[in-house]
Amino acid sequence: MAVAISVRVDFVDGTGQTSFTKIRIPTGFSIAQMVEFAQGAAQVVANMSDAQVTGASITVDFDLTGLGLRVVANAASEVARKAFFQFTSTFAALRAKFKIPTFDEILTTLGSDSINQAAAPVATFIASIENGIVVIGGTMIFTNNRTFHIAALELAYEQHSRRN
Amino acid sequence: MPVSNRIDYVLRDASGGRAKTGFWVEPGLTLAQYQQGGQALAQEINAITNGVVESASMTIPVDVSGLTQNIAGANSDVEEVARFGATTADGRPVQVNVPGLIPTAIAAGSDDLNQANSAVAAMISMLEDGIVVTGGTIRPSDVGEQDITQVLTARYAVRPSGTRR
């Protein structure tokens, strides 16, 4: 069974406390249509709230079935063991950073915390982030959070961290 | 300045611990294209990790800079909520809360909302009939995509301090 899409509207009140409203909508609509709905819904809830709407977003779940992904975690897996990647972007002062939990330690360079960039799965991942992933009719381009395209890998090392 | 869309993955380790990782992607593709790209990236993440890629989702920011009547009142409080109880065609319950309820929406002498209030009426109409968008109408639903058919209750409620919704 498909899972409905979530539309979320965020609020802040006069004391600075935050909260949100969540409304679910069915799948089958384009992004532009869902954005229209979210903007309309944001106005409706803003009209009946004394708090201020600070933002809205749409969250869509992806179907991961049939991809051959691991279904049982390796006994040595650990979410605190992360692969840290830092990339430059087309805006010189801004970077893009990713931490990937349960990183497979066998992919580090022997005797260091550096990630072995020559290992095939690592090289594939880095190339995808730098060049994008080809999809039907286009390419999914990776950016930093301000839409500046990722340019090149700058740092890649193993890092232990409990925080996401 | 525009903001990118974000694809998030949740990974799980052997002890049941979970953590999230996210990637920013350029706007402009269709949902189907993002789904395809997100699936491909899930496989690449699977290849460099030894946990389970448990779920993936994409969050699309929405521009709300054009909203009107959108200023926080000095006495506004997100812990005072409008609570709407609705039902679907299958009889499944759906609850939608709106924080920071305006006091004028409450019917005098009760905790019911005044359904003659234009803002309350508009909210009920949106939940029951949806919003017209270009090329169609989007109707709110439950998590299983069943459309909401009727709002049964509309009440004022107070949420304990420290809770978010």
Side-chain angles (χ1 to χ4, degrees), chain A:
Chain A
M1 184 179 71
V3 175
I5 291 167
S6 296
V7 174
R8 170 174 161 147
V9 181
D10 294 298
F11 293 84
V12 65
D13 68 17
T15 67
Q17 286 193 97
T18 60
S19 187
F20 59 89
T21 290
K22 182 184 285 188
I23 299 171
R24 297 188 188 275
I25 59 174
T27 59
F29 294 96
S30 70
I31 292 177
Q33 289 175 314
M34 292 192 292
V35 168
E36 260 191 272
F37 174 89
Q39 291 172 331
Q43 185 65 72
V44 170
V45 298
N47 288 347
M48 62 175 301
S49 176
D50 201 23
Q52 180 183 16
V53 171
T54 55
S57 60
I58 299 162
T59 299
V60 182
D61 287 340
F62 285 164
D63 181 8
L64 298 181
T65 58
L67 298 180
L69 302 180
R70 187 180 304 108
V71 295
V72 176
N74 185 287
S77 58
E78 170 56 61
V79 290
R81 184 184 306 118
K82 294 181 167 65
F84 175 79
F85 293 94
Q86 178 170 302
F87 293 83
T88 59
S89 75
T90 52
F91 189 96
L94 297 179
R95 303 287 190 273
K97 302 175 186 179
F98 309 115
K99 290 184 186 180
I100 303 177
T102 74
F103 176 66
D104 191 349
E105 201 163 27
I106 202 172
L107 295 172
T108 53
T109 301
L110 209 57
S112 83
D113 285 340
S114 297
I115 292 175
N116 180 4
Q117 298 177 32
V122 176
T124 299
F125 172 79
I126 293 170
S128 291
I129 301 298
E130 289 179 339
N131 305 317
I133 292 178
V134 175
V135 297
I136 296 175
T139 302
M140 188 171 79
I141 302 291
F142 292 91
T143 70
N144 65 11
N145 64 337
R146 293 301 179 183
T147 73
F148 293 103
H149 290 190
I150 281 177
L153 179 70
E154 193 169 50
L155 296 169
Y157 55 83
E158 180 189 46
Q159 181 184 69
H160 288 86
S161 167
R162 278 290 173 194
R163 291 182 62 185
N164 280 334

